[in-house]
Each structure stands twice: as C-alpha cells, then as structure tokens.
C-alpha cells in the first residue's frame, strides 16, 4: 500500500530535483528517502524519477502520477484540518502569501491587532508575485494569498477586505497650485513612472488612468515603490501610489505632494484568496474582519495627514 510519507517524499524530490535536498526538507536521511521512493516505484510498477550522479528528471508517467499525488496530499491535509475546525479561532498555524506591493504597507497596519487579540496565532508570510502565489495556493503550499484584484484567480475564492484608490505623487514644484484632486488628463503621462511589467499594481494604475495600449510605455520602470518615490523627490517624474502605502512612502518627504486620482474607482480591491474547498473559512473570515477594521483605522488617519 502506498503511504502518505512516500507521497510527501516524492513531491519533495519533484520540487527540488535533488534527493539530498528533498531529504533535508523532509527531515529524514537521504537513504530513508531513497528507499521510500524505490519502494513506491516498485509498488506502482513504473519509474517516477530518472537519476544519475548529477541530475534527477521526472519521467512523463511520473508527471501524471505526481500530479495525482499532489491532489491526494492536499485532500489529506484538509482532512486533518477538519478536526481543528470547531476549536478556538486561529488556533493552528497558517501560511499566507502576499505580493510585494501590499505586504510592506498592509502587514504593519494589521498584524499588531491580530497579535494583540490572538497572541498564540502562528503566521508564516511568503512574499512573491501574484502568479507564483496562485500556483502555490492551488498546489496546497499556502493556506491563503493576499492579492490585489482584478486579477485572474480562476477556480479560487476571494474574501475582499479593502478597496482603495490611487494618488498621484509629484514634487511640489510640479504639482499644479491649488489642486485637491487630479484626473489622468491633467498630468503628463510621459513623466509617469511605474513598476516593471509583471507587477499587477502597474496594470491597475494604467487601467485607473484608462490609458490606451500605445501609451503604456513609461519613462522609468522599477521593482520598488520606494525607489519610485525617491525618483519623484529628485524631480525625475511622477508616480501613482495606492492609498494604503501613502503614509509610509510620503511621511517625512516634505517636498512631495499627493493628490487623489479622480477617476472612477475603486482602483483596486485587496482580498484573501483561498481554494474553494478550504476548510478553515471561519479563520479566513475572521482575518478578513480584523484586516478591514485595522485598515479603516490606520488608512483613515493617514489620509487625513497627507
């Protein structure tokens, strides 16, 4: 009979393509893992991994079997979670992914309140881009992912907890005197600096401005909102920043001005995304409520201070 341990070991080898690294990840000796894989292949009557002294390859039949093994492990994990559903809220550890344009600005606002109310809750944060997080979520490597919508999450469920608009940030010398808000046709698109392709924040910002495709090339691309703000402070151009990040990015920058982008909104929605059969939805809805309360408190304060 194939065991869950054999499935876990096989999936670890698939992920690392290295028997020693897979054994370390599973906290067993390499010989124990190798023996278990050999027995698994013998029981199934097929070769899952081709290996030599330097490389490990997954066979075509192995890919089919490992895809099924991944689904089995996910079902087993969720089966084990069922025993904890009726226990106290947030009593079990949770692994949540978050994208880089949300994590540094959301987590400092919401986690202190979560920690205060649930001091024993153990949370591991993984920061990656949206496509990586959704893949990890579907494979059962995450309990949830915090994403900015709209984004393709086919087959997944979203628990929205925040909606926000963008703010146009410029040096005060280039801001346009007397404006309280600004529309996309009131600033120079050629001077707009946004994140590199692959960051959904860029797409959300461009969609908020309703820019045609031929105008989507900008003068400067960055992987960091902090870098963009420093470029604005140096009078290199302007940028768009979500409300959630305003206080951290603009605080102490007396030379900068932030104006609300007066375009139809909300410009983006923030959500906890889970698998549709995820059993800890009570914990997710609790986090959804806690996050919303904390953001309403902190972002309302930061908005007044800008």
């Amino acid at each position: 009979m194939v065991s869950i341990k054999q499935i876990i070991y096989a999936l670890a080898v698939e992920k690392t393509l290295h028997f020693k690294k897979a054994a370390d990840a599973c906290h067993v000796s390499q010989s124990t893992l190798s023996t278990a894989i050999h027995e698994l292949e013998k029981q199934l009557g097929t070769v899952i991994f081709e290996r030599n002294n330097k490389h490990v390859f997954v066979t075509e039949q192995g890919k089919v079997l490992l895809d099924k093994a991944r689904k089995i492990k996910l079902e087993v994990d969720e089966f084990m979670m069922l025993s904890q559903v009726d226990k106290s809220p947030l009593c079990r550890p949770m692994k949540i992914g978050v994208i880089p344009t949300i994590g540094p600005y959301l987590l400092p606002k919401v986690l202190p309140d979560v920690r205060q109310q649930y001091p024993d809750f153990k949370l591991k944060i993984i920061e990656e881009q949206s496509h990586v997080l959704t893949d990890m979520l579907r494979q059962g490597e995450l309990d949830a992912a915090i994403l900015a919508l709209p984004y393709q999450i086919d087959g997944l469920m979203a628990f929205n907890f925040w909606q926000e608009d963008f703010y146009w940030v410029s040096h005060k010398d280039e801001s346009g005197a007397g404006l309280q808000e600004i529309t996309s046709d009131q600033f120079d698109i050629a001077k707009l600096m946004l994140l590199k392709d692959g960051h959904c924040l860029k797409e959300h910002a461009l969609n908020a401005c309703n820019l045609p495709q031929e105008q989507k090339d900008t003068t400067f691309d960055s992987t960091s909102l902090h870098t963009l703000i420093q470029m604005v402070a140096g009078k290199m151009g302007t940028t768009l920043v979500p409300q959630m990040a305003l206080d951290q990015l603009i605080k102490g920058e007396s030379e900068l001005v932030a104006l609300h982008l007066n375009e139809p909104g909300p410009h983006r929605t923030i959500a906890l995304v889970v698998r549709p059969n995820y059993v800890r939805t009570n914990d997710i809805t609790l986090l959804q409520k806690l996050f919303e309360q904390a953001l309403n408190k902190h972002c309302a304060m930061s908005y007044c201070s800008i």
Side-chain angles (χ1 to χ4, degrees), residues 246-247 250-251 298-306:
L246 272 179
D247 58 337
I250 310 299
K251 186 177 181 180
H298 292 292
C299 288
M301 291 170 57
S302 67
Y303 173 78
C304 293
S305 65
I306 296 302

Side-chain angles (χ1 to χ4, degrees), residues 129-191:
Q129 290 193 28
S130 300
H131 70 281
V132 176
L133 295 181
T134 51
D135 286 345
M136 293 178 70
L137 191 57
R138 291 188 175 99
Q139 293 176 15
E141 297 177 27
L142 294 174
D143 291 285
I146 300 172
L147 303 179
L149 307 179
Y151 185 79
Q152 283 287 355
I153 56 167
D154 296 343
L156 301 172
M157 291 174 53
F159 290 76
N160 301 347
F161 60 85
W162 184 247
Q163 291 183 320
E164 64 182 357
D165 286 347
F166 286 103
Y167 284 73
W168 180 73
V169 180
S170 71
H171 193 279
K172 66 180 183 181
D173 293 344
E174 304 173 356
S175 63
L179 292 178
Q180 298 298 315
E181 293 188 309
I182 195 166
T183 59
S184 57
D185 59 4
Q186 289 179 293
F187 59 81
D188 188 351
I189 296 298
K191 293 184 177 180

Side-chain angles (χ1 to χ4, degrees), residues 92-106:
R92 298 187 69 248
M94 188 175 284
K95 185 185 291 185
I96 294 180
V98 63
I99 59 176
T101 53
I102 292 179
Y105 315 108
L106 170 72

